[in-house]
Structure formats: C-alpha cells, structure tokens
C-alpha cells in the first residue's frame, strides 16, 4: 500500500511533502514519545502522533518513516512543513483522535 | 576521518543535524541499513540529551574502515548517578521538554541497546562525556 492510498481511504489532509505520496507503507506506529518512536518504529511505517514540531520530521527522516499523521486536528509548525517538503516525507492530518485513526489504519493495513 | 559538530543547549530546531549528516555519509559509503539505523538511534539520542539537559556540546565522529566512534562531550550540569540515569523511565526533563514528547527516560537505554560499546562518564557541575562505538561490518547477525 502507498501513502496516497491511505490518504484517500482515510480522508486525510495533505499538509506537505507531496513528493513522497508514492512511498510504500508497511505498518504503523502510534506514539507521542519521541525516544519511543526512535527506538521502536520500523522503517516504512506511518507514524501517528499529536506532536507537530520539527523534531517529528527529523525523526521521520532519520528512521525512514514513510509518512506522519497528525491527529486531533492539530497543525504542523512552519519548520516541520519546510523539512517535510525538503525531504518528501508527507505530513498528513485528521480530525480523528489517535485511537480512532489507529484503528482504521490497522484494519486498512490488516 | 574525523568530523566535528557543535551542539547548542536548548536549540531544539537544529537537534538531529549531526545525526542526519552522519546518516548521509554512511549511506554513501554503502553501510548496511540496519547498522546505519543503530548509529542514528545512538547519535540522535545523545545529541538531543545535550540539547535537553546540558548547555554547549561537541560531537566528534571518528570513522574507520570497520568502526564508527562517536564522542559527545558537554559542559552541562553532569549526571550525579549514572546507574539511575541509565534506567528506563528515569528522566529529569523539564515540563516544556516533556510537552514536546521528550523525557520518556528512554534515550540512554536506546543507546545501550544499539551500541556495540557504550561508555559514559560525568562530573556533576562540569559535564558529561559519551563514547559510543558501533562496528560497521556487524550487519549479518
Ligand atoms: N548530557 C547530559 N547532561 C546532563 N544530564 C543528562 C545528560 N544526558 C542524560 N542526562 C540525565 O539522564 C536522564 C536520562 O536520560 P535519557 O536520555 O535516558 O532520558 P530523557 O532524555 O530524560 O528522556 P528521552 O531520552 O526519553 O526523551 C535525563 O533525564 C537527565 O537527567
Ligand atoms: Mg534523552
């Protein structure tokens, strides 16, 4: 499955990083603790979080995360958007809360 | 080859710069992606610890044919009890730093789990020094 399929099926906003919409997705990881993601998220996953600052895209880039989904209607910061565009890592958004979004993504990837 | 990077305490927008430079370099050298991942986890956690807990720091990367040595020294408050700091979940991060999602007390355990050799020395009131070594050819485990 590609990032773009997830955007379409879950009705997500695409804030930035459009260039990376064709990236392959192999799983998901939901966490707002950065060192938890750093230590445990696999490459190729979609990261679900309410964090919006630039360290999110920094970690996504370092750990080869396919895309970031920001939940609860939060918006990414300007420098988060800038890095997302530079590196082609899509930053997506939803009004849903992490629990509901993770559930839908889980069934989608099932 | 030796490379140096400066780290500024409190500057979260540039945290991860050295890690991303080193990642690019190792990728160009064709190092195995699992090994790169381990290097990146160690260096990022050590880098962010300087930003979150110390003042100025210097990172020096010594790249050899079969190892990478990452030395990080800072002039922060130091760590009084290293054994305690190494425990999963122990953190003295400020409320502002926690709000950003740091402060889970998992950084140093992440380094331990990913390094082939990890030394930490610290003098309270003076600073902290980390030496992290990873074998570049240890891919096939
Ligand atoms: N360079 C440093 N200078 C001073 N204290 C440090 C330094 N690095 C770590 N510490 C101390 O060790 C504790 C544990 O560090 P560790 O990286 O495991 O967790 P954390 O940084 O608090 O949270 P996380 O890494 O999960 O975001 C810190 O909270 C801090 O008290
Ligand atoms: Mg830490």
């Amino acid at each position: 499955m590609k990032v773009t399929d997830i955007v379409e099926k879950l009705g997500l906003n695409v804030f930035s990083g459009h260039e990376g919409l064709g990236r392959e997705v192999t799983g998901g990881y939901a966490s707002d603790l950065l060192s938890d993601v750093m230590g445990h998220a696999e490459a190729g996953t979609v990261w679900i979080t309410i964090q919006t600052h630039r360290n999110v895209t920094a970690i996504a880039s370092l750990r080869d995360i396919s895309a970031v989904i920001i939940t609860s209607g939060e918006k990414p910061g300007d420098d988060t958007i800038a890095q997302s565009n530079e590196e082609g890592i899509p930053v997506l958004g939803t009004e849903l809360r992490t629990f509901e979004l993770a559930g839908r993504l889980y069934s989608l990837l099932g | 080859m030796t490379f140096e990077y400066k780290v500024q305490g409190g500057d979260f927008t540039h945290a991860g710069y050295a890690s991303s430079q080193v990642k690019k370099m190792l990728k160009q050298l064709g190092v195995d992606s699992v090994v790169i991942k381990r290097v990146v986890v160690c260096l990022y956690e050590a880098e962010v610890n300087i930003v979150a807990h110390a003042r100025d720091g210097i990172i020096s990367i010594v790249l050899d044919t079969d190892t990478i040595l990452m030395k990080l020294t800072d002039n922060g408050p130091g760590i009084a009890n290293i054994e305690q700091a190494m425990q999963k979940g122990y953190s003295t991060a400020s409320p502002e730093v926690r709000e950003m999602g740091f402060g889970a007390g998992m950084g140093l355990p992440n380094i331990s789990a990913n390094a082939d050799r990890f030394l930490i020395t610290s003098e309270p009131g003076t600073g902290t020094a980390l030496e992290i070594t990873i074998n570049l050819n240890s891919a096939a485990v």
Side-chain angles (χ1 to χ4, degrees), chain A residues 34-105:
Chain A
L34 304 188
S35 55
D36 173 37
V37 176
M38 201 64 203
H40 302 297
E42 301 283 342
T45 54
V46 166
W47 173 15
I48 306 169
T49 183
I50 53 164
Q51 298 291 348
T52 57
H53 54 83
R54 191 180 190 271
N55 294 273
V56 171
T57 37
I59 288 173
S61 163
L62 287 168
R63 293 303 320 279
D64 300 316
I65 281 167
S66 294
V68 176
I69 304 176
I70 298 176
T71 54
S72 296
E74 298 289 334
K75 306 267 182 295
D78 290 344
D79 44 6
T80 308
I81 289 179
Q83 192 183 14
S84 152
N85 284 329
E86 265 161 45
E87 307 212 18
I89 302 168
V91 174
L92 315 169
T94 177
E95 295 296 323
L96 295 178
R97 297 190 181 274
T98 294
F99 178 74
E100 280 99 33
L101 186 89
R104 291 181 200 187
L105 182 63

Side-chain angles (χ1 to χ4, degrees), chain A residues 35, chain B residues 45 49-50 53-54 74 77-79 85 90-93 102-109 128:
Chain A
S35 55
Chain B
E45 294 291 4
N49 274 356
I50 298 178
H53 308 296
D74 68 61
I79 302 171
Y90 178 81
S91 176
T92 60
F102 296 106
M106 288 173 71
L108 293 176
T128 302

